[in-house]
Amino acid sequence: MPGKVRKYAVLNNKGGVGKSTIAVHVAHGLAIKGKKVLLVDMDGQNDASLFLGFTSEDYNNSLYDILTGREGINLSECIINARDNLDLLPSRNIDRINSELYKETRIDLFLKEKLKGLEEMSYDYVIIDCGPQRSKINDAILYFVDGIIVPVQVETASVRAIGNIYEYLADLHLNSDLVSLIVPNMYDQRTVDGKENLEFIKEFFAGTDLLVQPVHRRIKIAEVGKLGKTVYEFDEESSKQFNRIVERLVNSDAEAKQ
Ligand SMILES: Nc1ncnc2c1ncn2[C@@H]1O[C@H](COP(=O)(O)OP(=O)(O)OP(=O)(O)O)[C@@H](O)[C@H]1O
Ligand SMILES: [Mg+2]
């Protein structure tokens, strides 16, 4: 019997804070640890797919076909293998799906129904890369997942906006417990600004165990994305930073199972 799949969204309403970078690296890190992982690209920019080296020319079928109920197509025909243990469900036309969703009365059930095939597949983890901003598709994702990984850029505007995710959850009548991990990203310990903002994040989450150690700003992390690779394939030193997140997830999921 395959164990129950754990589903995480990587989400923050701010743009450019590292959602796609963290989604891809957490997914690859889990895969390297031997977990079976599906990364779902639910952002119209398709960065998660691009960071793994896939452009829209590399696939015909996509999440779009599943969400729009294209006749005769099943989920497995839309999934491509990206690395050992790591599959990718790419998307197209997310904006179109988003506008269609305004007509949907049960947005809370939308992905549960459309993606119910996932439960029968042998994945341990489904990691969903989300677009920035509140959207209908992000609402649907929040109703679907077991937890949220929130990257926060260690920079003043992002740090000030930290509470937005909780407002978003409250508006959807979802429990704030859905936030599983806070990942400070692009931390530069050499600057006063970096240190102060990290301190702010620590104070904000004091008394919780949500915070993981920051991912530092490193040129290599940005460079590998442009090459369609991850740091696991290029830079062992940077990969350690993502491994800390991976280990937290694996350990907390093991505890939850007991
Ligand atoms: N720790 C890091 N060090 C250096 N560069 C990083 C780091 N994390 C992310 N980046 C770079 O910052 C840019 C934004 O990251 P990314 O695309 O992951 O953010 P995002 O939140 O997914 O953006 P969007 O809101 O547009 O979807 C990218 O060019 C990425 O390579
Ligand atoms: Mg992104």
Side-chain angles (χ1 to χ4, degrees):
M1 270 280 284
K4 193 180 170 299
V5 56
R6 299 282 304 165
K7 305 186 283 289
Y8 288 99
V10 183
L11 184 125
N12 183 325
N13 300 130
K14 268 200 82 62
V17 297
K19 294 179 290 298
S20 303
T21 301
I22 285 167
V24 164
H25 283 91
V26 165
H28 198 194
L30 285 164
I32 287 169
K33 279 208 174 296
K35 304 290 178 188
K36 284 211 69 188
V37 185
L38 177 68
L39 178 68
V40 186
D41 189 340
M42 289 217 201
D43 179 19
Q45 305 169 107
N46 301 123
D47 285 337
S49 304
L50 292 169
F51 289 171
L52 282 176
F54 294 89
T55 71
S56 56
E57 282 164 20
D58 296 317
Y59 48 89
N60 292 318
N61 307 328
S62 76
L63 185 66
Y64 182 75
D65 301 299
I66 298 299
L67 299 188
T68 54
R70 194 179 119 195
E71 287 280 310
I73 193 148
N74 61 38
L75 194 54
S76 58
E77 292 169 282
C78 302
I79 291 175
I80 43 187
N81 180 246
R83 302 290 192 276
D84 285 349
N85 288 331
L86 174 58
D87 288 349
L88 170 71
L89 175 52
S91 71
R92 278 183 212 282
N93 308 325
I94 281 285
D95 294 345
R96 227 186 286 168
I97 295 167
N98 198 51
S99 8
E100 286 291 310
L101 279 177
Y102 280 90
K103 294 184 223 145
E104 193 68 42
T105 46
R106 291 301 304 270
I107 198 143
D108 54 330
L109 297 179
F110 179 73
L111 288 176
K112 273 186 198 124
E113 278 166 13
K114 297 287 185 189
L115 297 178
K116 63 174 179 285
L118 275 183
E119 299 293 333
E120 276 84 59
M121 299 173 120
S122 56
Y123 295 113
D124 299 306
Y125 287 91
V126 171
I127 306 289
I128 304 179
D129 182 32
C130 304
Q133 286 137 16
R134 288 194 189 194
S135 61
K136 283 283 165 190
I137 192 81
N138 281 352
D139 297 355
I141 294 168
L142 288 177
Y143 285 119
F144 178 65
V145 293
D146 305 302
I148 314 167
I149 299 168
V150 185
V152 178
Q153 189 176 342
V154 188
E155 155 282 338
T156 307
S158 301
V159 162
R160 286 210 187 108
I162 246 172
N164 290 3
I165 184 74
Y166 290 101
E167 281 169 33
Y168 191 3
L169 290 174
D171 289 347
L172 296 180
H173 305 289
L174 283 165
N175 198 310
S176 57
D177 288 358
L178 208 55
V179 175
S180 309
L181 284 185
I182 304 289
V183 184
N185 186 29
M186 302 192 224
Y187 174 52
D188 188 345
Q189 86 251 54
R190 294 164 307 185
T191 66
V192 175
D193 193 61
K195 284 189 189 138
E196 281 177 1
N197 283 312
L198 185 63
E199 212 38 56
F200 183 96
I201 300 175
K202 283 185 182 162
E203 277 168 31
F204 193 95
F205 292 101
T208 76
D209 59 357
L210 296 176
L211 202 59
V212 291
Q213 285 194 49
V215 174
H216 291 237
R217 183 188 284 283
R218 279 175 181 259
I219 300 287
K220 287 240 171 70
I221 295 177
E223 278 175 355
V224 293
K226 294 195 192 105
L227 298 170
K229 302 271 182 207
T230 76
V231 293
Y232 288 98
E233 294 156 321
F234 254 88
D235 181 30
E236 212 202 311
E237 209 38 50
S238 302
S239 71
K240 287 181 191 157
Q241 313 209 11
F242 296 103
N243 265 340
R244 294 196 291 254
I245 313 171
V246 168
E247 272 152 28
R248 274 287 291 268
L249 281 183
V250 171
N251 293 341
S252 61
D253 293 335
E255 272 170 34
K257 271 191 190 151
Q258 280 170 11

